[in-house]
Amino acid sequence: MLETTLSSLDGLPAFLAYFAVAIVLVLLFIRIYTWVTPHDELALIRANNPAAALAFGGALIGFALPLSSSITHSLSVLDCAIWGAVALIVQVLTFLVLRFSLKQLEARIKQGEIASGIFSAAVAIAVGMINAACMSY
């Protein structure tokens, strides 16, 4: 019984390595995403702005989807980190394209317009799903 339990923990080092890489990439995504957006998401969320919370939450989910695909399909921790970085770049570029496509997006999110937050989240999640599917090599 003890042998079975110990053998089930054989994957723990790999789990910890992938989890650590994923957390670092999520924190890096948050830093870069909040740097490229013209408004301060965290301050807007602290001020109870639902549009900012929706948009930022959607961006996080949109990044987590391809990141989880990269973890699932990677050949090594380094491979996972590389594809996680690709996912990060795609998701940040998605916001930049959306920002330049919808000129009033930042102002609407700052004003708490929920429709803008939902649309921004939906685009981020949709691109994240496509991004994740493309990583299923």
Side-chain angles (χ1 to χ4, degrees), residues 68-132:
S68 66
S69 182
S70 121
I71 292 167
T72 302
H73 297 100
S74 65
L75 303 172
S76 67
V77 175
L78 179 59
D79 187 43
C80 172
I82 291 167
W83 285 103
V86 169
L88 188 152
I89 292 166
V90 169
Q91 291 305 117
V92 169
L93 288 174
T94 296
F95 172 78
L96 293 174
V97 169
L98 185 61
R99 176 182 168 199
F100 291 114
S101 299
L102 301 172
K103 302 287 184 203
Q104 301 287 325
L105 181 65
E106 304 115 37
R108 291 179 176 177
I109 288 175
K110 281 183 183 178
Q111 294 168 1
E113 292 184 18
I114 295 174
S116 296
I118 292 171
F119 183 72
S120 180
V123 169
I125 293 169
V127 171
M129 290 173 69
I130 294 167
N131 194 356

Side-chain angles (χ1 to χ4, degrees), residues 2 7 11 31 37 43 49 52 60 71 75 79 94 105 120 134-135 137:
L2 180 62
S7 71
R31 179 64 191 115
T37 56
N49 182 315
L60 281 173
I71 292 167
L75 303 172
D79 187 43
T94 296
L105 181 65
S120 180
C134 291
M135 291 186 186
Y137 51 92

